[in-house]
């Protein structure tokens, strides 16, 4: 009787931060399909339990475990990797995907919003890379690290400036780490997705005219032509990590935007200025940002258009563990 063909990640130990829902959950599933023993990490214990149940029921080849961890706490991240390494005999592959999305004019986000984005998105990625690297250097398979950036880190997007600034720092970190760690046998992949239908609009945080901000963001994030199917995106990302690619930019729109900005940054900025004029105006609102699942967008024809464009994204929220549990304000996504 012939033996089954070996899978690319058979026997490897993988960690996915931000792995309890959305893209992180789907990447964990793809790693399992390739034979890895996967540990998903996030802050919310209940979400992690739900995610573990979802992944355990898929019949995937790999194993799944979960760990409560706040990536903003470097000591907690250190303990996470020490625990995984002791249990699995090492750490071979890490995806740093924890983050938050804030949607508001920059003044409404305030300096606090920028600091929160940097703490969770950039410092979370930095803590993950710092504490994972000693383990990855010892991996017999050659360690792999992927940092999840965004097209928003390659092109500054109006009303997403805290997010864009933090993701831009992640992009620089990934490129620099790849250059410095190549001699030690560790490959680092920078991942820059465009809009994906993950259901993340329900956990994005909205400020300023929050209902109007939610309306445009949720519609655009779910628009079929502009956004990408999240399961397909996860497969592309994990496949790129498997091949040790330096950079992955997902969706044709994102690749076009990144290329255009590199060739003609002034023109791209002018186009973003036109886009910004179409977004909700800031009228001095400085209330606490609120999560999308608490909001009801304005009614009328615009609401019907939002529902039509966002229908696929709303369905994705049901499939990718995005519904059902509130989180503390400012907590990392996934």
């Amino acid at each position: 009787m012939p033996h089954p063909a070996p899978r690319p990640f058979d026997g490897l130990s993988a960690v996915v931060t931000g792995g309890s829902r959305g893209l992180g959950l789907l990447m964990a599933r793809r790693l399992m399909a390739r034979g890895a023993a996967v540990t998903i990490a996030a802050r919310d214990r209940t979400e992690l339990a739900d995610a573990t149940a979802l992944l355990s029921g898929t019949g995937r080849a790999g194993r799944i475990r979960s760990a409560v961890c706040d990536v903003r706490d470097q000591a907690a991240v250190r303990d996470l990797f020490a625990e995984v390494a002791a249990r699995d005999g090492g750490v071979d592959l890490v995806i740093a995907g924890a983050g938050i999305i804030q949607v508001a004019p920059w003044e409404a986000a305030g300096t606090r919003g920028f600091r929160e984005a940097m703490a969770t998105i950039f410092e979370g990625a930095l803590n993950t890379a710092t504490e994972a690297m000693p383990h990855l250097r010892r991996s017999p398979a050659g360690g792999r690290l992927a940092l999840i950036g965004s097209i928003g880190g390659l092109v500054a997007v109006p009303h997403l400036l805290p997010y864009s600034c933090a993701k831009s720092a992640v992009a620089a970190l990934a490129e620099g780490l790849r250059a410095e760690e190549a001699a030690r046998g560790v490959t680092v992949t920078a991942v820059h997705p465009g809009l994906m239908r993950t259901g993340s609009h329900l956990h994005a945080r909205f400020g300023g005219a929050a209902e109007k901000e939610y309306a445009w963001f949720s519609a655009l994030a779910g628009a079929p032509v502009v956004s990408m199917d999240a399961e397909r995106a996860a497969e592309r990302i994990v496949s790129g990590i498997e091949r040790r690619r330096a950079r992955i930019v997902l969706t044709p729109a994102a690749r076009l935007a990144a290329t255009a900005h590199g060739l003609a940054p002034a023109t791209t900025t002018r186009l973003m200025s036109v886009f910004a004029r179409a977004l909700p105006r800031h009228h001095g609102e400085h209330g606490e940002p609120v999560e999308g699942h608490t909001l009801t967008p304005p009614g009328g024809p615009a609401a019907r258009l939002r529902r039509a464009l966002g229908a696929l994204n709303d369905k994705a929220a049901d499939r990718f563990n995005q519904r059902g549990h509130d989180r503390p304000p400012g907590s990392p996504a996934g």
Side-chain angles (χ1 to χ4, degrees):
M1 184 175 181
H3 294 287
R7 292 172 293 268
F9 294 157
D10 272 344
L12 299 190
S13 170
V15 175
V16 181
T17 68
S20 64
R21 56 186 170 84
L23 181 64
L25 177 78
L26 294 173
M27 292 188 295
R29 182 181 294 169
R30 297 295 178 178
L31 291 172
M32 290 175 67
R34 285 166 165 78
V38 181
T39 300
I40 54 173
R43 283 191 70 200
D44 191 301
R45 189 179 300 275
T46 305
E47 278 188 355
L48 281 168
D50 291 344
T52 302
L54 283 170
L55 293 171
S56 298
T58 60
R60 301 291 175 177
R63 304 191 312 275
I64 182 67
R65 293 187 176 91
S66 66
V68 177
C69 181
D70 184 345
V71 294
R72 298 172 296 188
D73 181 345
Q74 187 172 353
V77 178
R78 184 180 307 125
D79 291 344
L80 165 68
F81 285 111
E83 178 185 338
V84 173
R87 185 188 65 221
D88 294 344
V91 179
D92 305 292
L93 189 157
V94 174
I95 301 178
I100 57 174
I101 302 174
Q102 302 143 302
V103 186
W106 75 272
E107 289 178 291
T111 55
R112 175 184 170 186
F114 282 83
R115 292 191 183 102
E116 288 176 348
M118 291 298 293
T120 301
I121 296 172
F122 174 66
E123 291 180 24
L126 178 61
N127 289 340
T128 301
T130 299
E131 300 304 331
M133 199 61 74
H135 301 282
L136 295 175
R137 289 170 183 163
R138 292 193 290 268
S139 170
R144 294 174 172 89
L145 171 67
L147 303 185
I148 305 299
S150 169
I151 184 58
L154 304 178
V155 180
V157 181
H159 291 217
L160 285 164
L161 274 186
Y163 180 82
S164 281
C165 288
K167 289 295 191 180
S168 178
V170 170
L173 178 64
E175 291 181 9
L177 286 177
R178 185 176 180 93
E180 293 199 30
E181 290 298 322
R184 294 186 171 101
V186 177
T187 52
V188 182
T189 299
V191 182
H192 301 296
L195 291 168
M196 294 176 297
R197 297 187 290 278
T198 64
S200 63
H201 62 294
L202 295 181
H203 289 280
R205 298 164 60 204
F206 298 87
E211 290 83 2
K212 293 180 180 178
E213 297 286 353
Y214 174 77
W216 79 259
F217 180 81
S218 59
L220 196 60
V225 176
V226 179
S227 64
M228 183 177 186
D229 174 77
E231 291 184 293
R232 187 162 147 257
E235 174 59 30
R236 292 271 301 278
I237 292 167
V238 172
S239 178
I241 297 168
E242 179 187 333
R243 298 197 301 271
R244 301 182 181 271
R245 287 182 54 186
R247 192 190 212 204
I248 302 167
V249 181
L250 291 179
T251 81
R255 289 195 294 272
L256 177 62
T259 301
H261 188 62
L263 295 174
T267 300
T268 307
T269 302
R270 284 196 293 270
L271 290 173
M272 285 297 176
S273 297
V274 174
F275 174 57
R277 292 189 184 98
L279 297 178
R281 296 296 180 92
H282 176 58
H283 297 293
E285 305 94 336
H286 285 287
E288 286 292 315
V290 292
E291 290 197 344
H293 63 83
T294 69
L295 293 169
T296 302
R304 290 194 291 273
L305 178 61
R306 191 217 73 82
R307 285 195 296 271
L309 291 176
L312 292 174
N313 213 13
D314 290 336
K315 290 179 181 178
D318 295 320
R319 294 163 56 207
F320 307 147
N321 203 31
Q322 298 279 19
R323 296 190 189 272
H325 306 292
D326 293 345
R327 295 177 298 113
S331 61

